[in-house]
Amino acid sequence: AGVLARSERATLEWWLAALPEEVVRSRPRLCLVLAYRAMLTGRLVEFERLLDDTERALIAAGRGAAEPATAMPTQPNWAAGLLTNVPGAIVSFRSELARLRGDADRTTELALHALARLNERDSVLRAMADWELARAHWMRGDLDEAQGAMSNSQWAEAAHHATDEPDEPYIDLILSWDL
């Protein structure tokens, strides 16, 4: 998780390339890291396949995709926050995938499903699901709903704590990024 948080992608690429593919695909968190990487680079078909691989790896490890994974005790950075609850991350990432494909209804459905299964310790994943919900409103043209969802999200709370500034400029910046 530290490698992701520090944006040491070359190191991560080297480590993952050194492992046999079957080893990587048998480890849910490694599959999730690969899925995240595919999402960031816009490879949506690979992103979806890797999310499927992550679910299969969870099942093979004796944990169903609907069961919470054993959580790490703390979330020292955003990357660890993505990896603490693998089943929750899968649902949050599938919401992102639906949004990237332009399906506002499926984005909403999956974001709400993620929020229902995540607890307060899953702050990064909850923020992602909140964000996807706001984006789905935005996709439908419900800008007031999108603004309200963002104002109530953990993204807004995180921005406030990070800057000690009012949340509005940060929210506007994030929404402008999507435009």
Side-chain angles (χ1 to χ4, degrees), residues 40-111:
L40 289 178
T41 56
R43 299 184 323 259
L44 301 186
V45 171
E46 183 179 355
F47 179 39
E48 184 172 33
R49 181 182 53 80
L50 287 163
L51 290 175
D52 293 342
D53 288 348
T54 305
E55 286 180 336
R56 281 191 288 277
L58 276 176
I59 292 166
R63 296 187 308 244
E67 292 178 33
T70 304
M72 294 177 186
T74 62
Q75 294 181 17
N77 57 53
W78 66 267
L82 292 177
L83 300 173
T84 57
N85 180 338
V86 174
I90 292 168
V91 177
S92 293
F93 281 177
R94 287 198 188 280
S95 178
E96 171 86 5
L97 180 63
R99 184 194 56 82
L100 290 169
R101 289 184 170 158
D103 189 341
D105 292 336
R106 183 77 174 140
T107 301
T108 298
E109 175 188 340
L110 290 166

Side-chain angles (χ1 to χ4, degrees), residues 11-27:
T11 301
L12 179 63
E13 298 284 336
W14 184 79
W15 285 349
L16 292 174
L19 295 171
E21 186 174 337
E22 63 274 4
V23 170
V24 174
R25 299 225 192 262
S26 70
R27 305 287 198 293

Side-chain angles (χ1 to χ4, degrees), residues 114-127:
L115 289 169
R117 72 181 308 164
L118 297 169
N119 64 44
E120 291 304 315
R121 286 184 33 179
D122 296 318
S123 59
V124 172
L125 294 172
R126 290 188 66 78

